[in-house]
Amino acid sequence: MMRLRREDPRVVGSFRLHRRLGAGGMGVVYLGSDRRGQRVALKVIRPDLAEDQEFRSRFAREVSAARRIRGGCTARLVAADLEAERPWFATQYVPGPSLHDKVAEEGPLTAAAIAAIGAALSEGLVAVHEAGVVHRDLKPSNILLSPKGPRIIDFGIAWATGASTLTHVGTAVGSPGFLAPEQVRGAAVTPATDVFSLGATLAYAATADSPFGHGSSEVMLYRVVHEEPHLQGVPDALAPLVRACLAKDPDERPSTLQLSMRLKEIAAREAHGMGDIRPPAQRARTDRPTGRLPEGYVEDTAGYAEQRTERRTVGTPAPGRPGTGTGAGQGKAQIKGQGPRGGPDSRPSAARGTGSRGPGSTAGRTGGRPAPRTTGTGRRPSRPDPRLMRQRLIVFVVVTLLVALGIALAQKL
């Protein structure tokens, strides 16, 4: 926004003007507000155009058509004065940057964002065309990205369906690079005209450039009519649809309703593929469990085991004591197996883990952890058979009952 200049009016109709929002070929746009504080974007027509009676008549028809537009994707017309010295009209103020500024500052948008914006704009154009109006100047700077979604603004040069695109001086009205070929030739405008402009706008959102490059107005208009658009950089999901919108023949372009439905499908698919919520980052390859110990870990463990072996060897009890041995973990096991006076404990040697162990004992290899219980042959004891244990229990109970019965009978006799 810019401050008001000396030549700028301070009050227009019932609106007080606060700032300049911009200026174009038709006039200056101001930020204003009414007595209730409602903010509006108010455009005042240039003095030279205001003196043209043909322009005034056309402007009156356009304002009348704009009043019929009903849709959430356009800035609602609030008020207008067609008989003023300088005609003006006010629309609802839409906060937010234009699509042009958004792309210029942050770069091309993602496929999901472009498809979502395009779907909303297509739906808005359906409402515009149903009112019998063709925008004729759809471009990135005329699309505002509000918190509630994109909004189409600046219907200043909009025409009723079927009207010519040429002014009385024979020049095309619109922005080179976003005009449709029929506008350049001076043919009648149709809803397909806005579809072409929307396709060029979506291409800009994907590449930050016009699909027909840069150059003078004459060069740009020639490319629009005779050359194919450059769509390098447009996402693959959108490129075929954008190319169809930029067809030279209006009859080959999709309708706004078809375009809206197709873009909604693309937006949903792209959003689902991206998740809107980014997928969790995959773990690095080295973080995945492989079932193997890292090489450094193995080396450190081997060194640590050697140190513990040396310490235990130095701490081995002198020969002659009961139960002494030469195993790596023998000293520690022997201390645990001694009684209060240093003699052997009353527990079996197998329980103390001191039975036939040598330098290659399990305790030495496992870093001091207790070895599993073994039999005298060095094998683990087999688990008793449950069926055999059940039979023995039954026999024991029966014998006990018979003995008790015999004792009772003996006492009676």
Side-chain angles (χ1 to χ4, degrees), residues 161-252:
T161 303
S164 171
T165 62
L166 297 182
T167 64
H168 62 286
V169 294
T171 59
V173 177
S175 303
F178 297 94
L179 288 174
E182 58 268 25
Q183 288 178 277
V184 180
R185 295 191 182 100
V189 296
T190 65
T193 303
D194 286 341
V195 172
F196 185 96
S197 300
L198 179 58
T201 298
L202 297 181
Y204 172 84
T207 63
D209 196 5
S210 166
F212 298 99
H214 300 279
S216 63
S217 298
E218 293 78 8
V219 171
M220 295 290 289
L221 295 177
Y222 177 86
R223 291 174 182 168
V224 167
V225 175
H226 300 287
E227 296 183 5
E228 293 299 319
H230 297 282
L231 299 180
Q232 185 177 3
V234 177
D236 294 339
L238 294 169
L241 191 60
V242 172
R243 189 176 300 277
C245 292
L246 295 176
K248 305 299 183 184
D249 187 352
D251 295 334
E252 296 180 1

Side-chain angles (χ1 to χ4, degrees), residues 239-378:
L241 191 60
V242 172
R243 189 176 300 277
C245 292
L246 295 176
K248 305 299 183 184
D249 187 352
D251 295 334
E252 296 180 1
R253 300 168 199 160
S255 67
T256 51
L257 183 58
Q258 293 172 338
L259 193 58
S260 174
M261 295 176 62
R262 182 69 181 125
L263 286 171
K264 286 180 180 178
E265 294 175 0
I266 296 175
R269 185 172 65 250
E270 291 295 321
H272 180 72
M274 295 172 54
D276 244 357
I277 301 175
R278 293 185 178 181
Q282 295 182 353
R283 293 184 298 177
R285 188 173 183 178
T286 55
D287 293 340
R288 296 176 182 174
T290 60
R292 300 178 181 177
L293 294 175
E295 295 180 1
Y297 180 83
V298 175
E299 294 175 0
D300 293 344
T301 305
Y304 182 69
E306 279 188 277
Q307 294 177 6
R308 289 181 62 87
T309 303
E310 291 177 1
R311 292 174 187 171
R312 289 172 181 164
T313 303
V314 173
T316 302
R321 286 190 179 180
T324 58
T326 59
Q330 190 69 19
K332 186 173 181 180
Q334 185 66 31
I335 293 173
K336 289 184 178 179
Q338 292 178 354
R341 297 183 182 179
D345 197 340
S346 58
R347 292 176 297 174
S349 60
R352 297 200 307 270
T354 57
S356 67
R357 291 192 305 172
S361 63
T362 306
R365 292 196 307 268
T366 57
R369 288 182 292 183
R373 296 173 63 90
T374 60
T375 62
T377 61

Side-chain angles (χ1 to χ4, degrees), residues 18 74 98 138 141 175 178 264 295 321 387 389 399 404:
H18 306 290
T74 60
S98 68
L138 193 65
S141 59
S175 303
F178 297 94
K264 286 180 180 178
E295 295 180 1
R321 286 190 179 180
R387 184 179 301 175
M389 291 295 295
V399 171

Side-chain angles (χ1 to χ4, degrees), residues 65-152:
R67 282 192 172 126
R68 300 195 302 268
I69 297 175
R70 295 290 183 268
C73 202
T74 60
R76 179 175 53 86
L77 183 67
V78 177
D81 188 352
L82 308 179
E83 302 300 329
E85 182 179 353
R86 294 177 59 185
W88 59 269
F89 64 92
T91 60
Q92 182 183 12
Y93 175 70
V94 179
S98 68
L99 179 60
H100 177 275
D101 294 342
K102 176 79 170 179
V103 174
E105 293 176 4
E106 302 181 11
L109 305 182
T110 63
I114 296 171
I117 292 174
L121 294 175
S122 301
E123 192 171 353
L125 287 176
V126 171
V128 171
H129 297 158
E130 286 179 349
V133 179
V134 179
H135 190 284
R136 291 204 317 156
D137 195 24
L138 193 65
K139 57 185 178 180
S141 59
N142 283 341
I143 297 171
L144 298 182
L145 303 178
S146 75
K148 296 182 179 180
R151 296 289 184 268
I152 302 173

Side-chain angles (χ1 to χ4, degrees), residues 19-44:
R19 298 273 183 173
R20 267 189 174 224
L21 294 177
M26 292 186 62
V28 182
V29 183
Y30 301 96
L31 173 64
S33 62
D34 59 12
R35 297 176 181 177
R36 297 175 297 177
Q38 179 185 9
R39 295 192 296 178
V40 297
L42 191 146
K43 174 175 278 191
V44 180

